[in-house]
Amino acid sequence: MSRQEVRLAGYGGQGIVLAGQLLGKAAALYDGREAVFTQSYGPEARGGASSADLVISDGPVDYPLVSRPNFLVAMFQEAYERYRPEMAEGGLLVIDSDLVKPSADEGPYRAVPATRLAEGLGKKIVANVVMLGFFTAVSGLVRREAVEAALRSSLAPRLLDLNLRAFAAGYGYAQEKREAA
């Protein structure tokens, strides 16, 4: 695998930064790759723009910033509109179909009702981890076991079961869609 650039984007309060940290930790600590993580968010505690950028590579990362993401995960309409033009040609766009409506001329993309699946688990707040599960399955960028290990080593025990179920829900949704195709 060569250098891969990933941008996760949404609004403050969706857990975008945590999802990016988990993905980077999974790649670096549990998949044996090099990873660099940066984050950006507006001045608001909740509701402002938020993004998490990752560079993942098999070798040393010589430039740590994302400039043309190969992968864009958009969990909010404004995030899609802001960051979609920066995506690399042929990149993979992944959206939360509950919150993002792509333009009519959008090329291929993958969609998951992450917010709805999270609500079905009883906590809308885990939509980020549902999305992480879906992204893991459709991108092939990191192994499922690596992300699960990152969840186990990062979250408080009282939060772990719900987040593992959220991850499994997103991952399972991707597998169901793949089998139906």
Side-chain angles (χ1 to χ4, degrees), residues 2-27:
S2 60
R3 174 189 173 101
Q4 298 294 313
E5 296 184 1
V6 181
R7 175 166 290 143
L8 296 97
Y11 60 85
Q14 280 186 306
I16 298 296
V17 171
L18 176 61
Q21 289 171 336
L22 290 166
L23 186 60
K25 187 173 187 177

Side-chain angles (χ1 to χ4, degrees), residues 10 31 33 38 40 47 57 60 63-64 67 69 82 91 109 113 124 130 140 168 179:
D31 250 358
R33 297 204 180 108
T38 56
S40 172
S57 178
Y63 183 70
S67 57
R82 177 175 178 185
Y109 62 91
K124 182 177 169 182
V130 172
E179 291 169 7

Side-chain angles (χ1 to χ4, degrees), residues 20-31 35 54 146 149-151 153-154:
Q21 289 171 336
L22 290 166
L23 186 60
K25 187 173 187 177
L29 296 183
Y30 302 108
D31 250 358
L54 289 137
L151 284 162
S153 67
S154 300

Side-chain angles (χ1 to χ4, degrees), residues 28-181:
L29 296 183
Y30 302 108
D31 250 358
R33 297 204 180 108
E34 300 290 327
V36 176
F37 169 78
T38 56
Q39 64 189 26
S40 172
Y41 45 87
E44 306 89 352
R46 294 198 180 277
S50 175
S51 68
D53 289 353
L54 289 137
V55 176
I56 299 174
S57 178
D58 287 333
V61 175
D62 57 357
Y63 183 70
L65 300 181
V66 168
S67 57
R68 301 286 293 167
N70 308 94
F71 300 92
L72 173 61
V73 175
M75 293 189 66
F76 188 55
Q77 188 68 35
E78 290 177 29
Y80 165 76
E81 292 168 3
R82 177 175 178 185
Y83 294 116
R84 175 62 182 94
E86 298 174 9
M87 249 182 83
E89 188 172 328
L92 176 63
L93 171 65
V94 178
I95 64 168
D96 183 334
S97 59
D98 292 326
L99 303 175
V100 177
K101 300 301 174 218
S103 63
D105 62 345
E106 182 64 65
Y109 62 91
R110 304 297 300 268
V112 58
T115 301
R116 194 169 343 129
L117 290 172
E119 288 170 344
L121 294 169
K123 294 279 186 180
K124 182 177 169 182
I125 194 77
V126 294
N128 62 331
V129 180
V130 172
M131 180 59 86
L132 185 59
F134 183 77
F135 177 77
T136 299
V138 300
S139 71
L141 193 58
V142 293
R143 292 176 307 112
R144 176 182 185 158
E145 298 79 13
V147 181
E148 289 171 340
L151 284 162
R152 285 187 180 90
S153 67
S154 300
L155 300 177
R158 65 183 175 79
L159 303 174
L160 187 56
D161 179 62
L162 174 62
N163 280 276
L164 286 172
R165 288 187 293 124
F167 181 81
Y171 197 93
Y173 186 85
Q175 289 183 314
E176 290 170 15
K177 289 295 179 187
R178 186 177 8 227
E179 291 169 7

